[in-house]
Amino acid sequence: MMQRKLALLVGIGALAILLMLKWEHVITLINGEKASVQFALQPRQRTPTDTITPIPFSRHLMVSAFKDHRLGGAIRVISIICRQELQPLYCVLCANAKADANVDAKADGAPGQCTSFQAKVHQHSDDFGFPFVTSDVLCLSPALQQATRVSITANPYAFHNLTFLSIQNQEVKESFKYNFTVCISNLFGVYNNALQFAQTMEVYKLIGVQRVVIYNTSCGPDVEKILKYYSKEGMLEVVPWPIDKFLKPSTGWSYDLHHGDIHYYGQLTTLNECIYRYMYQSKYLLLNDIDEIIMPYKHANLENLMGILQQQRPNAGVFKIENHIFPKTQFDDSGRFRLARWRSVPGVNILEHVYREPDRKHVFNPTKVLINPRSVEQTSVHTTLKQFGLVFNVPFDVCRIIHVRVPLQGQLSKDQLFVDKKLWEFEKLLIPSIDRALNESGVL
C-alpha cells in the first residue's frame, strides 16, 4: 500500500515538472538584463466587461493595451501604479500560432508563441498627491511584432494563470469612423442629473459630435435610463469602470482635501485610456466633464471651427478651450424654457441658465482640451502632459465651454453677470429632440 502511494506521488511530481517545462520558459541573460527565449503558452483572455485587472505579485493594476506606431510599434499598457511600492515589471507578449495580419486579436485558440522581458514604467507627472498614479507600462522589445496579446507581471519566473489583454490599434488608419468624439471621464455615486445629461447629448449632436464615451462606476436610476437610450441609439459607448472594487477612490481632486487611493475615481486613467481607445476611430477628441459643452461661438459647428483653426495652426494638435461658469442659481427671468413637462425629470435645465460669470482677475481660468489624439501621448485634466505637436490657446470669443454648475463667484448679483444665450440658437431642433430622448428612454 505504501509503495502504491509513493509511486502515485512520484508520478504526480513528474507530471507537474513536465507541465512546468511545457508552460514556463528559461530565463537567460543578455547584456546583463533578464530576457527570454520564446516559449509556448495558451493565454487566458480577459472578458470584454473586465476593464481593470490586477498585475500579479503587486498592488498595481493594468487597464488596456495598445500598439503605439509613433514609438516604432511599442506596446503601451495603460496602468495604475502604486508609487510607494515600485518594482520591476515584466511584459509577456504572445502571438497566435499562425501570426497573420488578419487574425482577430481577441480570439482565443491553440497555444501561441510568447516572449517575456522587462518593461519600462513611465509614471505620469500629475498625481495630485495620491498614492496610485496613471502610468504607461511600455513593452519596447522588437520581438514578436505580430503579438496580439500582452500581460504584465512582477514575477519574471511565473507565467501560468496570467490574464492577457488584447493589443488594440494594430494598424494605422488614415480615415476615421467619427469626426468628433467626446470623452467623459467618470460617473460615480448616485449621479442622477438626467435632464442636463439628455440636453447636453442633444446639443452635442447639433454641433457635430458623433460619439460620446463615458466611464461608468455607478449612477442614479434616471441617468441609467438615459445611458441605455443613447447606447441603443449608437451614439454612446459606456465603458464599465469598477475602480471601487480595487481601490478606495477619492471623490475629489486633492489628496490633502479628499484623501483616498486615487484621484477622482481614476479620472486621469480614463481620459488617457479614451485617447488610445479612439486614436484611430476619431479625427478629434473633446476631453471634458459631463456637465460641460465645448461650444463654437463664431462657427456653426465643430467641423467648421476646426477647419479654420487647423488652417491657421497646421502644426497644432492640442487646442485649449477656456471654461466659463453659468451659475445654476441664476435663472432667466422670462421663464421661456421652464417647461411643465420637464419638471418631473431630475436634474438641471441648462436652457434656463443664461448668466455667465466674468473672468476673475489674477486667477487661473481652467481649460479643457480638444485634441488630435494621434498628436498626444499623455494628458491631464486641464492640459496635455506630452504631445508631438504644438498647443494653441483658442480665444474665448471663438470657442468656450458652457459649464452650468454651482457658482464660483456666488457673491455676484445677476446684473454683474454676462447674458449668454448661445444655447437658445438651437431651440427649433433642440426642444423636440430632448422631448424624444426623455420619452423614449422612459424618463418621462
Side-chain angles (χ1 to χ4, degrees):
M1 190 69 177
M2 289 296 295
Q3 290 179 337
R4 287 185 179 181
K5 288 184 178 180
L6 182 60
L8 181 60
L9 289 173
V10 171
I12 292 173
L15 179 60
I17 291 171
L18 287 173
L19 288 173
M20 288 176 66
L21 290 173
K22 180 179 180 182
W23 300 118
E24 301 293 341
H25 70 288
V26 178
I27 298 294
T28 61
L29 291 176
I30 297 179
N31 295 329
E33 293 187 1
K34 285 189 176 106
S36 70
V37 296
Q38 293 188 358
F39 58 98
L41 183 68
Q42 187 165 8
R44 183 177 63 187
Q45 193 73 16
R46 186 171 73 174
T47 63
T49 56
D50 291 335
T51 53
I52 303 173
T53 300
I55 293 176
F57 306 100
S58 78
R59 294 183 64 194
H60 316 310
L61 304 168
M62 56 182 175
V63 177
S64 51
F66 304 88
K67 179 173 285 190
D68 196 329
H69 301 275
R70 304 164 304 180
L71 301 181
I75 307 304
R76 181 187 303 271
V77 181
I78 307 294
S79 303
I80 299 171
I81 297 295
C82 180
R83 296 189 294 124
Q84 299 158 343
E85 297 186 19
L86 299 178
Q87 62 200 116
L89 296 178
Y90 299 86
C91 301
V92 184
L93 287 173
C94 294
N96 293 318
K98 295 182 179 180
D100 187 284
N102 297 318
V103 171
D104 182 359
K106 295 182 180 180
D108 287 315
Q113 288 300 304
C114 300
T115 190
S116 170
F117 48 88
Q118 188 166 339
K120 302 278 188 186
V121 180
H122 292 175
Q123 297 180 49
H124 291 205
S125 57
D126 272 7
D127 55 46
F128 298 96
F130 289 91
F132 285 80
V133 58
T134 300
S135 302
D136 298 313
V137 177
L138 294 177
C139 305
L140 299 171
S141 171
L144 282 179
Q145 284 296 305
Q146 298 297 324
T148 57
R149 289 155 289 188
V150 63
S151 189
I152 305 297
T153 180
N155 187 337
Y157 301 100
F159 297 106
H160 57 285
N161 295 326
L162 290 180
T163 298
F164 281 77
L165 313 181
S166 295
I167 300 173
Q168 303 174 61
N169 297 349
Q170 290 281 351
E171 298 178 358
V172 174
K173 296 179 182 178
E174 301 295 337
S175 59
F176 309 103
K177 186 175 181 180
Y178 310 106
N179 282 330
F180 295 94
T181 296
V182 175
C183 295
I184 297 174
S185 55
N186 301 84
L187 276 181
F188 58 86
V190 290
Y191 184 86
N192 204 37
N193 191 349
L195 181 57
Q196 182 170 1
F197 180 36
Q199 290 175 333
T200 300
M201 290 289 285
E202 295 303 327
V203 172
Y204 284 156
K205 292 180 184 178
L206 296 175
I207 61 175
V209 171
Q210 296 141 320
R211 187 71 159 173
V212 177
V213 188
I214 290 182
Y215 292 77
N216 184 27
T217 301
S218 62
C219 63
D222 297 285
V223 166
E224 181 69 30
K225 292 178 182 178
I226 300 292
L227 292 176
K228 289 179 179 178
Y229 169 76
Y230 285 109
S231 296
K232 183 178 179 181
E233 186 186 65
M235 184 181 182
L236 178 67
E237 179 184 10
V238 179
V239 180
W241 187 245
I243 188 68
D244 54 343
K245 301 293 191 297
F246 301 91
L247 299 173
K248 182 182 178 182
S250 171
T251 57
W253 66 273
S254 169
Y255 179 75
D256 292 336
L257 296 174
H258 306 103
H259 306 293
D261 290 329
I262 190 169
H263 166 269
Y264 228 166
Y265 274 73
Q267 180 183 30
L268 297 176
T269 306
T270 56
L271 287 175
N272 282 275
E273 207 277 345
C274 193
I275 289 175
Y276 286 90
R277 178 181 289 256
Y278 277 83
M279 183 165 289
Y280 296 109
Q281 293 192 67
S282 190
K283 186 175 182 180
Y284 294 104
L285 297 180
L286 295 76
L287 310 184
N288 55 262
D289 293 343
I290 195 169
D291 57 356
E292 298 173 332
I293 300 172
I294 293 179
M295 175 62 68
Y297 271 72
K298 286 193 173 180
H299 306 85
N301 51 50
L302 291 167
E303 185 172 4
N304 292 352
L305 167 70
M306 292 311 299
I308 296 298
L309 290 181
Q310 287 283 207
Q311 186 178 28
Q312 296 172 345
R313 298 288 190 279
N315 295 322
V318 177
F319 299 85
K320 296 173 72 172
I321 316 294
E322 286 187 12
N323 190 12
H324 288 266
I325 305 301
F326 291 64
K328 67 179 184 179
T329 54
Q330 298 287 0
F331 293 80
D332 164 53
D333 292 328
S334 72
R336 178 175 174 178
F337 294 102
R338 200 169 299 149
L339 306 182
R341 60 184 179 275
W342 291 352
R343 290 177 185 169
S344 63
V345 181
V348 175
N349 181 354
I350 61 176
L351 295 172
E352 289 192 272
H353 304 289
V354 296
Y355 293 95
R356 173 168 50 85
E357 291 185 356
D359 283 342
R360 294 168 292 170
K361 292 183 179 180
H362 312 300
V363 176
F364 169 72
N365 191 21
T367 60
K368 294 296 171 67
V369 290
L370 192 162
I371 66 170
N372 169 355
R374 294 156 300 284
S375 295
V376 175
E377 187 173 356
Q378 296 177 359
T379 194
S380 186
V381 179
H382 300 293
T383 187
T384 52
L385 300 175
K386 290 184 179 180
Q387 61 281 326
F388 298 99
L390 300 179
V391 178
F392 177 63
N393 293 301
V394 179
F396 104 105
D397 62 325
V398 174
C399 180
R400 57 181 174 263
I401 295 173
I402 296 175
H403 191 182
V404 180
R405 50 155 288 170
V406 296
L408 286 182
Q409 303 177 67
Q411 78 282 2
L412 298 181
S413 62
K414 186 176 289 187
D415 59 0
Q416 293 176 295
L417 304 175
F418 295 103
V419 176
D420 186 335
K421 298 181 178 179
K422 178 65 179 179
L423 291 177
W424 288 16
E425 296 177 12
F426 302 98
E427 174 185 2
K428 186 175 180 180
L429 295 174
L430 183 59
I431 302 302
S433 65
I434 294 170
D435 285 337
R436 182 170 57 253
L438 295 175
N439 277 293
E440 294 185 9
S441 66
V443 172
L444 276 179

